[in-house]
């Protein structure tokens, strides 16, 4: 659904790590403590952040490959290796093995295959750690080589981590910028959606909003190869379409999970709005989640113009979701497959995860399936 967290440098940090840890923890003879699970999770996130910070190219919206398929598999391997208590050398081998399963082309974004990228990253990272535990070896220096992990970034420039014993180690995770989405779409869509909502509000301040009264819609967005889809025909294309997200926000004064179903996508009034869109890519609008903006200008049939610009959407790291909104997002999604007791139980466990002696209670709540909806 493209609903997972996103950070800068650009990737989805949790999606490739958490499923591997839950699967592994459930299978272990001794259930790890909440603190052990949390530490392994943080290690998986940390490794991704370190690798991304070795490249300036990685800070921008990607051009060639889908980042979770590259750094996500490394995060999954690192987290799994930590939970399996592998040695430092074994951890290096796990990352080496995982690197040979990394990579997915951007050509498959906006298709049903994109979600498979992060699924493969999860699975292959976990497999890499388990294979190393069984004795498989790779090149433990793979992170230091241009023809190792460096093949994925033209400007890859790794640096040595400080020794923990010297007291010089700082978690990159503590300085990492994470965005939690409130709509299930590519992160870039959030800027243009908020700008569209603000432009509609300007119209409603002086008159009622009627989509038939809109003569022209101008979107000013950063250039990108894969999030420019003028007339989407599937939910996956819609999640990667500046045009669709702007027009849906204008038409409904909102964007939700249901906005991306086929019935909504194929509405006549939505298609009419889409036909009025012109997209511009100003030179000052960089394809970078830290620097980009979304601007929407509406021209009505009587020649009036209403414009709005969004520099920071609600959910961006500069404007983070409130805790109650984050919990509500989880509950809304989880309740489609779990009972209310299971959903509330997970929230309670996660809010105190570091105090859990083992994760048995978490797994018990995860198994409380809502039979009416599954």
């Amino acid at each position: 659904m493209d609903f997972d967290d996103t950070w800068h440098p650009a990737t989805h940090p949790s999606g490739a790590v958490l499923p591997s840890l839950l699967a592994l923890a459930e299978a272990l003879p001794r259930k790890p403590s909440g603190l052990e699970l949390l530490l392994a999770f943080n290690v998986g996130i940390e490794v991704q952040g370190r690798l991304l910070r070795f490249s300036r190219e990685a800070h921008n919206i990607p051009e060639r490959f889908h980042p979770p398929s590259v750094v996500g598999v490394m995060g999954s391997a690192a987290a799994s290796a930590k939970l399996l208590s592998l040695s430092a050398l074994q951890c290096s081998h796990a990352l080496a093995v995982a690197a040979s399963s990394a990579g997915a082309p951007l050509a498959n974004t906006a298709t049903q295959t994109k979600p498979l990228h992060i699924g493969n990253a999860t699975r292959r990272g976990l497999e890499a750690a388990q294979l190393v535990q069984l004795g498989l070896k790779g090149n433990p220096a793979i992170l230091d080589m241009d023809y190792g992990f460096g093949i994925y970034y033209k400007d890859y420039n790794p640096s040595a981590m400080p020794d923990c014993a010297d007291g010089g180690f700082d978690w990159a995770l503590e300085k990492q910028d994470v965005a939690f989405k409130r709509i299930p779409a590519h992160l870039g869509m959030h800027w243009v959606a908020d700008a569209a909502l603000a432009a509609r509000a300007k119209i409603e301040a002086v008159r009622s909003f009627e989509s038939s009264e809109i003569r022209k819609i101008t979107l000013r967005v950063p250039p990108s190869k894969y999030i420019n889809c003028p007339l989407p025909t599937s939910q996956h294309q819609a999640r990667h379409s500046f045009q669709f997200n702007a027009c849906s926000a204008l038409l409904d004064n909102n964007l939700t999970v249901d906005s991306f179903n086929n019935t909504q996508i194929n509405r006549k009034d939505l298609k009419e709005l889409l036909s009025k869109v012109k997209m511009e890519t100003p030179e000052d609008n960089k394809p970078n989640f830290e620097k980009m903006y979304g601007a929407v200008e509406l021209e009505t049939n009587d020649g009036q113009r209403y414009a709005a610009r969004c520099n920071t959407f609600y959910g961006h790291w500069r404007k983070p979701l409130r805790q109650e909104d984050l919990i509500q997002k989880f509950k809304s999604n989880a309740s489609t497959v779990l009972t209310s007791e299971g959903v509330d139980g997970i929230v309670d466990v996660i809010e105190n995860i570091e105090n859990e002696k083992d994760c048995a209670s978490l797994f018990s709540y995860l198994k409380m399936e809502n039979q009416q909806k599954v």
Side-chain angles (χ1 to χ4, degrees):
M1 292 172 63
D2 239 288
F3 217 0
D4 44 350
D5 52 352
T6 306
W7 66 2
H8 184 263
T11 193
H12 301 288
S14 301
V17 172
L18 185 59
S20 59
L21 288 179
L22 292 178
L24 184 57
E26 188 176 23
L28 290 174
R30 182 190 71 82
K31 295 293 178 287
S33 69
L35 195 59
E36 288 172 323
L37 186 68
L38 182 60
L39 180 57
F41 176 78
N42 284 352
V43 166
I45 305 299
E46 176 79 11
V47 164
Q48 294 178 73
R50 294 272 174 180
L51 293 174
L52 288 167
R53 289 178 186 276
F54 292 158
S55 163
R56 294 302 306 173
E57 179 188 1
H59 286 239
N60 297 326
I61 294 176
E63 297 181 355
R64 295 172 295 149
F65 57 80
H66 191 205
S69 70
V70 173
V71 294
V73 67
M74 307 297 278
S76 174
S80 300
K82 177 62 179 174
L83 202 61
L84 287 170
S85 299
L86 300 189
S87 69
L89 180 58
Q90 285 178 310
C91 289
S92 296
H93 285 299
L95 292 174
V97 174
S100 284
S101 294
L106 275 178
N108 271 330
T109 56
T111 74
Q112 291 177 318
T113 299
K114 184 186 180 185
L116 187 64
H117 294 172
I118 207 156
N120 280 338
T122 301
R123 176 172 62 87
R124 290 170 177 168
L126 173 55
E127 286 177 350
Q130 290 178 312
L131 288 169
V132 168
Q133 188 181 39
L134 294 173
L136 187 67
K137 294 181 180 180
N139 186 335
I142 202 162
L143 299 183
D144 304 320
M145 309 167 76
D146 289 340
Y147 59 98
F149 193 78
I151 65 170
Y152 297 107
Y153 297 99
K154 297 187 291 289
D155 61 347
Y156 184 69
N157 184 27
S159 59
M161 289 179 62
D163 193 327
C164 296
D166 296 336
F169 177 81
D170 291 315
W171 286 87
L173 179 62
E174 293 183 352
K175 302 174 183 176
Q176 205 75 354
D177 297 320
V178 181
F180 294 97
K181 300 178 180 180
R182 72 181 195 285
I183 59 175
H186 182 279
L187 194 72
M189 305 302 107
H190 291 61
W191 276 273
V192 78
D194 276 15
L197 292 172
R200 174 178 166 135
K202 288 186 176 182
I203 291 181
E204 292 182 318
V206 296
R207 61 201 284 186
S208 63
F209 178 86
E210 299 290 342
S211 62
S212 60
E213 290 295 310
I214 303 298
R215 180 166 64 191
K216 181 181 178 182
I217 303 170
T218 303
L219 308 182
R220 297 182 177 93
V221 295
S224 175
K225 296 178 181 178
Y226 72 105
I227 45 179
N228 174 14
C229 187
L231 297 170
T233 58
S234 71
Q235 63 167 299
H236 299 286
Q237 290 180 350
R239 298 183 198 283
H240 296 78
S241 168
F242 282 121
Q243 299 90 333
F244 174 87
N245 285 271
C247 289
S248 290
L250 285 172
L251 189 61
D252 301 327
N253 202 26
N254 196 13
L255 276 171
T256 68
V257 171
D258 291 335
S259 299
F260 299 88
N261 65 41
N262 288 334
T263 300
Q264 298 295 93
I265 290 172
N266 292 313
R267 288 178 293 170
K268 181 181 177 181
D269 48 0
L270 177 60
K271 290 185 176 181
E272 288 178 353
L273 273 183
L274 286 169
S275 70
K276 301 173 182 178
V277 174
K278 176 185 177 182
M279 202 163 80
E280 299 177 355
T281 54
E283 288 188 6
D284 69 334
N285 202 354
K286 305 300 182 183
N288 179 298
F289 291 147
E290 180 67 28
K291 301 175 181 178
M292 67 175 282
Y293 64 86
V296 175
E297 182 177 298
L298 309 177
E299 183 179 337
T300 56
N301 291 333
D302 59 4
Q304 298 298 308
R305 295 174 185 269
Y306 303 86
R309 169 170 163 162
C310 174
N311 295 317
T312 304
F313 65 86
Y314 179 49
H316 192 277
W317 44 86
R318 292 192 298 264
K319 193 177 180 181
L321 289 185
R322 295 182 294 272
Q323 181 70 3
E324 57 266 29
D325 289 336
L326 189 60
I327 291 175
Q328 182 54 46
K329 172 185 171 178
F330 170 75
K331 288 184 174 182
S332 177
N333 289 334
S335 63
T336 62
V337 292
L338 298 177
T339 64
S340 58
E341 182 183 355
V343 172
D344 291 339
I346 292 171
V347 171
D348 290 340
V349 170
I350 296 303
E351 287 187 332
N352 299 282
I353 187 69
E354 67 274 15
N355 297 319
E356 293 288 322
K357 293 183 179 180
D358 62 54
C359 294
S361 60
L362 176 61
F363 291 112
S364 68
Y365 290 126
L366 285 167
K367 293 176 181 178
M368 291 184 177
E369 297 179 349
N370 186 337
Q371 297 300 327
Q372 294 180 343
K373 295 185 179 181
V374 172

